[in-house]
Amino acid sequence: MTEVPQTRFKTPFYAQQRAVDRLNRWHTWNGYTVPDTLYCEDLEYFSIRNSCSVFDLSPMQKYRITGPDALAFLNRLVTRDVAKLAAGRVGYSVWCDSRGHVIDDGTIFHFGDGRYRLCCAGRHAAWLADSATGFDVEIVDETDEVAALSVQGPTSYAVLSDAGVKGLESLKPFGVIETELNSLPLAVSRTGFTGDLGYELWMEPRDAEAIWKAIFAVDDKTRAIGTEALNLARLEATLLYPHIDFLPADETIRPGRSRSPFELGLSWLVDFKKPMFNGRQALAREYREGHRYEMLRLDIEGNKPATNAYIFAKPGGGKDVGFVTSAAWSPVCKQNIALATVEASAVQSGKPLWVEIFYQREMRWHRKMAKARVVDGPFWNPDRKRQTPPSRF
């Protein structure tokens, strides 16, 4: 496996984002400087839901996986059956340690001819190298070699089509094509982290500025966004965020802090019909005997976000049975929403849970026990994200 290239600290789109920045609120993601918010979190969020948003995805870790054993390696690494992932398709998956606890989640791109790309939020070069022992496979960290943009929102199809991207009219959700924009090569996948209609663009860093300008030349309602707006959108879509909704199993110190796919609501990603994969024995035992926790979607009364709140089985409190991992007031759903990890024994069909919310008003803290209803499915799940071809809106 090749050595991880030295980090450049600024993505190929840094200058374009800095040009529209008004707040100077930035943080570090995998060594790259990325914005929390560029000008207004609310306006950035509504560009995701009402028009077209552009998020710099370049710091996402990208591993190119090739070789005669590429498929066999990936099938041993992750819990789903990668053999079912046809060329031109993208699959969401997780990979686990020997205890069956999730190390990270990510997407696998199958470009055909045995060419794969694994994308994830964190760095896992060492884990991938160890997992590749005995396989004839080449794994290359190509994070610095591939610039990426997430273009999301109801007008994203119209904006990209008008900019000159070909082939989008037939691209289905979780599909990927290799195309071009103004003679510049790029791959486009119908994927994203917003639960809305949207695409992710993958290109060479030298072409990044030209592609950025081509996109923003189409419609003056297209907006660059930061991670704060994206985080609210992904919560509405009930998409998990590493280090927020779960801790990578290879980074936890105290026992009981990591989670299995079953405990994260990802049982559909575990395929026991395929050959051996990392954590299979532990997951099979958990499947037979039951799991400790459940990841729940909660609709909470009131409008005070249940950030970092404890959860109880009774309105009077007592011993807590879980805690909220992500919470917000959803502007588009008009709901007080949250993701929470709760003891499986405390979850009973049809029975509410109670959330202890603390909020500040005029310099004083107030406590409220709010009733919470368990919700099936995402809070935000519009039909437009599945339409092929999409509407132009």
Side-chain angles (χ1 to χ4, degrees):
M1 181 173 180
T2 60
E3 188 173 345
V4 177
Q6 184 176 1
T7 304
R8 290 195 303 250
F9 297 108
K10 293 180 180 179
T11 78
F13 302 105
Y14 175 83
Q16 285 70 38
Q17 294 176 96
R18 179 59 79 180
V20 298
D21 176 41
R22 297 294 180 269
L23 302 178
N24 196 30
R25 292 175 52 189
W26 300 70
H27 68 278
T28 300
W29 176 17
N30 286 336
Y32 291 89
T33 302
V34 294
D36 294 325
T37 306
L38 288 165
Y39 46 91
C40 174
E41 180 183 339
D42 291 341
L43 292 178
E44 292 173 33
Y45 162 80
F46 281 112
S47 72
I48 300 173
R49 296 296 183 230
N50 295 336
S51 55
C52 181
S53 65
V54 178
F55 177 76
D56 183 2
L57 201 62
S58 301
M60 174 77 71
Q61 287 297 121
K62 301 174 274 293
Y63 297 99
R64 184 170 68 246
I65 300 171
T66 56
D69 292 342
L71 174 57
F73 161 72
L74 285 169
N75 243 354
R76 178 62 184 264
L77 176 73
V78 303
T79 60
R80 73 178 297 164
D81 191 352
V82 184
K84 297 178 181 179
L85 187 65
R89 300 296 295 167
V90 183
Y92 173 61
S93 193
V94 296
W95 52 100
C96 302
D97 63 8
S98 60
R99 300 170 299 165
H101 291 180
V102 174
I103 292 176
D104 207 346
D105 65 346
T107 48
I108 299 173
F109 292 69
H110 186 186
F111 291 103
D113 301 322
R115 296 180 296 130
Y116 294 89
R117 175 183 293 157
L118 174 64
C119 294
C120 50
R123 295 182 181 273
H124 295 287
W127 182 269
L128 295 179
D130 287 345
S131 301
T133 301
F135 291 97
D136 185 0
V137 63
E138 182 181 22
I139 305 171
V140 178
D141 184 341
E142 58 180 6
T143 303
D144 285 350
E145 302 171 18
V146 180
L149 287 178
S150 178
V151 182
Q152 306 282 308
T155 64
S156 57
Y157 168 72
V159 168
L160 291 177
S161 296
D162 292 348
V165 180
K166 305 296 183 183
L168 298 185
E169 65 282 352
S170 58
L171 184 61
K172 297 180 179 179
F174 287 95
V176 58
I177 56 174
E178 294 179 278
T179 181
E180 62 179 33
L181 172 58
N182 296 337
S183 299
L184 301 175
L186 77 159
V188 180
S189 56
R190 192 167 167 181
T191 52
F193 204 47
T194 66
D196 216 314
L197 173 63
Y199 304 85
E200 292 174 337
L201 280 58
W202 314 85
M203 69 208 75
E204 294 187 26
R206 66 188 180 191
D207 300 330
E209 182 177 356
I211 289 176
W212 175 285
K213 290 181 177 179
I215 293 171
F216 279 88
V218 172
D219 186 353
D220 60 7
K221 296 182 180 62
T222 300
R223 295 284 183 268
I225 67 168
T227 55
E228 296 293 341
L230 182 68
N231 186 44
L232 176 53
R234 71 90 195 170
L235 173 56
E236 292 173 335
T238 64
L239 301 174
L240 302 183
Y241 210 134
H243 291 283
I244 294 180
D245 298 307
F246 69 91
L247 294 176
D250 60 342
E251 297 182 23
T252 56
I253 299 175
R254 297 173 177 84
R257 301 301 172 91
S258 54
R259 298 289 184 263
S260 75
F262 299 122
E263 294 171 332
L264 295 177
L266 301 175
S267 59
W268 60 278
L269 287 176
V270 181
D271 191 340
F272 290 118
K273 294 180 181 179
K274 75 168 189 171
M276 178 60 67
F277 56 88
N278 293 347
R280 188 185 196 280
Q281 185 175 6
L283 288 172
R285 181 170 58 251
E286 183 176 332
Y287 180 79
R288 295 190 303 267
E289 300 175 0
H291 46 274
R292 306 164 298 168
Y293 302 98
E294 290 191 21
M295 177 64 71
L296 301 180
R297 307 172 178 94
L298 299 180
D299 179 4
I300 305 172
E301 68 177 3
N303 60 2
K304 303 299 182 184
T307 305
N308 300 323
Y310 283 110
I311 297 173
F312 300 87
K314 300 178 181 180
K319 179 183 179 301
D320 66 90
V321 296
F323 56 91
V324 169
T325 59
S326 298
W329 169 258
S330 167
V332 70
C333 301
K334 301 297 186 290
Q335 289 176 276
N336 194 17
I337 63 175
L339 294 177
T341 182
V342 179
E343 295 174 8
S345 59
V347 181
Q348 301 181 35
S349 178
K351 287 194 175 183
L353 295 168
W354 299 85
V355 182
E356 184 182 40
I357 300 175
F358 287 90
Y359 62 95
Q360 192 177 49
R361 185 167 57 195
E362 295 183 346
M363 299 181 66
R364 295 190 61 181
W365 284 97
H366 301 263
R367 176 180 180 268
K368 176 182 179 180
M369 293 296 290
K371 183 185 292 187
R373 177 179 63 91
V374 178
V375 176
D376 291 328
F379 300 108
W380 177 250
N381 190 25
D383 289 337
R384 64 190 180 214
K385 77 175 186 180
R386 292 175 290 274
Q387 294 174 350
T388 306
S391 298
R392 291 181 60 86
F393 292 96

